[in-house]
Amino acid sequence: MRADEIIDVDVDPKEVRRARWRRVAHFGVPLAGVVLIVAAIIAVTLYSYRSNRSDALALSQNLVAVLDQRVQAQVESYLDPAARAVQTLAGMRPDGGLSASGRPLLERLAQELLRDRPQLASLYIGDPQGNFLMVQRSPEGTLDTKLIAHDGAERQVTWYRRDDAGQVVTVEEDREDTFDPRTRPWYDGAVAADGLFWTDVYVFFTSQEPGLTVSRAIRGEGGELLGVAGGDITLAALSGFLADLQLGARGRALIVDGAGRLVAFPDPTRIVDHSDGDYGPAQMTTIGDPILTEAYDRIRVAGAGRSIVEIDGQRYIVAAA
């Protein structure tokens, strides 16, 4: 025992220990309880965050899947009736073809098909002799007819302009017209194709709107070529459909072809590229949206489907079909 150590002989060491434990119990247990409660709150918060994040991600993916299916269904329901109209026109083979005897039936059929399918800008037939019949929707909404008729070496181009009631009000001859259906991509493509032929997206000269053409060869019983039927399809309505989609605060939807040309975009003014003086469909790289451009580049590598990608530190759900 050290000389400076003092022992209080009147204090019971057991009582000292009990007092110490009482103080620990008085302050330590509530403090431990607070610590446990805070830990529980943190754990619940983390669990809720992860659970909510997982639920939100699942909900977002489901939303994207539904929108993906909706866009596909809209495109199919938009293009299919136009394609069936061309098939119907190609299947109508009146005696005389595009001669004066066969032409009226084809013209009436084309008019009825155009009235029933607003996505069609025109329907037409060209034959191996260069004869051509087209019923076209005018800017005023009437249905005009263009006729190219060959009588030996003589070639005549005539326009029949109609009013809202369908009555011819003006007949115009165009001696400057040099159009030959046999030189057009839709004609050659249909002759070489087995069934329907679809052109690339291009900009219609008259309306300056994007569109495409679907065509089909008309053949006789022996397989001989009688002509080609075609139809021009405007695509502006698809852009309106995309603009009305609810995609959240930062979601975007677009339709693009395999060469990166815009087919439909929520802002239709950005579809046509005027930069080089010619009118053509805008490329993905020209629309000024780096996120969409990066997503498209990744889709070209990975292919169709849905995935989560990180671009510039942000995570995006990307879906392509």
Side-chain angles (χ1 to χ4, degrees):
M1 180 180 299
R2 296 198 313 266
D4 58 349
E5 185 176 357
I6 300 174
I7 299 176
D8 189 352
V9 295
D10 295 330
V11 177
D12 187 354
K14 294 182 180 180
E15 183 61 30
V16 172
R17 287 194 295 271
R18 283 196 293 269
R20 185 182 300 119
W21 281 112
R22 283 196 296 268
R23 287 194 298 271
V24 170
H26 183 71
F27 295 104
V29 172
L31 180 60
V34 171
V35 171
L36 289 175
I37 291 173
V38 171
I41 292 173
I42 293 174
V44 170
T45 302
L46 288 175
Y47 174 79
S48 299
Y49 171 77
R50 292 177 179 174
S51 178
N52 291 339
R53 182 183 178 88
S54 177
D55 292 343
L57 180 60
L59 181 61
S60 298
Q61 289 180 325
N62 290 337
L63 175 62
V64 169
V66 170
L67 291 173
D68 191 15
Q69 293 171 1
R70 185 179 174 188
V71 171
Q72 290 186 61
Q74 179 70 18
V75 172
E76 291 176 1
S77 65
Y78 190 82
L79 296 180
D80 282 352
R84 288 197 299 270
V86 170
Q87 289 179 309
T88 300
L89 190 62
M92 182 60 65
R93 294 177 294 182
D95 294 336
L98 292 179
S99 67
S101 61
R103 188 169 62 244
L105 178 59
L106 293 171
E107 187 177 19
R108 287 196 299 271
L109 176 59
Q111 289 171 345
E112 291 303 317
L113 291 171
L114 281 170
R115 291 189 183 100
D116 188 52
R117 293 162 171 81
Q119 63 268 57
L120 279 168
S122 59
L123 284 169
Y124 40 81
I125 292 180
D127 69 12
Q129 290 73 45
N131 299 306
F132 182 68
L133 171 68
M134 177 177 69
V135 179
Q136 182 181 68
R137 201 182 307 276
S138 72
E140 294 76 23
T142 59
L143 298 179
D144 299 336
T145 298
K146 178 181 181 179
L147 177 65
I148 301 177
H150 288 262
D151 185 6
E154 184 179 355
R155 179 179 186 272
Q156 186 175 17
V157 180
T158 309
W159 277 96
Y160 297 88
R161 311 291 185 182
R162 294 185 176 83
D163 58 17
D164 292 336
Q167 300 300 315
V168 175
V169 294
T170 305
V171 178
E172 305 171 358
E173 287 193 18
D174 188 351
R175 299 184 181 274
E176 304 298 325
D177 188 297
T178 60
F179 178 81
D180 188 338
R182 298 167 295 184
T183 65
R184 307 304 295 171
W186 57 266
Y187 190 98
D188 292 336
V191 172
D194 182 16
L196 289 173
F197 172 76
W198 297 83
T199 67
D200 292 331
V201 177
Y202 63 100
V203 174
F204 293 153
F205 177 78
T206 303
S207 64
Q208 296 301 307
E209 294 180 349
L212 50 80
T213 297
V214 57
S215 56
R216 185 183 180 93
I218 306 170
R219 300 192 180 276
E221 298 295 336
E224 69 277 14
L225 180 67
L226 302 178
V228 173
D232 293 338
I233 307 171
T234 61
L235 301 174
L238 289 178
S239 293
F241 164 74
L242 295 180
D244 292 336
L245 282 179
Q246 300 298 319
L247 294 171
R250 295 186 297 171
R252 277 98 87 196
L254 69 156
I255 301 173
V256 62
D257 70 6
R261 293 181 290 253
L262 288 179
V263 175
F265 195 71
D267 182 1
T269 62
R270 300 168 68 181
I271 296 178
V272 179
D273 183 12
H274 308 270
S275 59
D276 58 357
D278 294 329
Y279 297 105
Q283 293 283 334
M284 282 289 302
T285 55
T286 66
I287 62 174
D289 192 321
I291 301 301
L292 284 178
T293 302
E294 177 70 16
Y296 174 72
D297 288 340
R298 298 193 183 199
I299 289 169
R300 287 195 301 170
V301 175
R306 287 191 302 276
S307 62
I308 299 175
V309 300
E310 185 171 320
I311 303 174
D312 295 336
Q314 296 288 334
R315 303 180 77 196
Y316 297 88
I317 300 175
V318 176

